[in-house]
């Protein structure tokens, strides 16, 4: 995103929580990628906790795993939108420590 209108659009959409500093006119979307990965990871953790202890498809909470697709989609979109109003400082910490640690565990598993 090297145009000023794109930077202004992101700033306006996020109500000023996201400020992009583009050295030499070059911006990389790493914070946006980390925001989307954060929302997707959080969503899977929520779904995992909701289905903890479900043994078979006849269990009452199995419908969370097997159905409710509209609600799951809307919930994930809501988390993705909310991730864009979290300040940059959180995602700088998240990308350096939490995401790197999670990626290392993922590679080992």
């Amino acid at each position: 995103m090297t145009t000023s209108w794109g930077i202004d659009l992101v700033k306006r959409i996020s109500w000023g929580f996201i400020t992009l500093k583009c050295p030499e006119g070059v911006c990389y979307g790493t914070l946006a990628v980390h925001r989307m990965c954060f929302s997707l990871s959080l969503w899977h953790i929520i779904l995992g906790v909701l289905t903890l202890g479900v043994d078979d498809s006849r269990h009452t909470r199995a419908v969370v795993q097997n159905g409710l697709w509209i609600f799951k989609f809307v919930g994930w979109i809501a988390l993705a939108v909310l991730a864009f109003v979290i300040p940059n400082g959180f995602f700088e910490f998240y990308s350096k420590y939490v995401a790197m640690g999670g990626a290392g565990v993922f590679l080992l598993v």
Side-chain angles (χ1 to χ4, degrees), residues 9 42 46 95 99-100 107:
L9 178 66
L42 183 61
I46 291 169
S95 66
M100 289 295 188
L107 288 174

Side-chain angles (χ1 to χ4, degrees), residues 16-37:
F17 283 104
I18 301 173
T19 55
L20 298 175
K21 296 176 182 76
C22 302
E24 300 174 8
V26 178
C27 279
Y28 299 98
T30 55
L31 286 179
V33 170
H34 284 296
R35 289 172 196 273
M36 294 304 293
C37 290

Side-chain angles (χ1 to χ4, degrees), residues 1 5 12 17-18 28-30 35 42 51 54 56-57 60 67 71 87 100 109:
M1 186 178 339
W5 70 267
R12 192 169 10 109
F17 283 104
I18 301 173
Y28 299 98
T30 55
R35 289 172 196 273
L42 183 61
T51 58
V54 175
D56 61 7
S57 62
T60 310
F71 296 110
M100 289 295 188
V109 174

Side-chain angles (χ1 to χ4, degrees), residues 42-65:
L42 183 61
W43 183 243
H44 279 90
I45 289 170
I46 291 169
L47 287 179
V49 168
L50 286 175
T51 58
L52 199 63
V54 175
D55 296 333
D56 61 7
S57 62
R58 293 183 301 264
H59 195 278
T60 310
R61 287 181 292 139
V63 72
V64 174
Q65 176 67 28

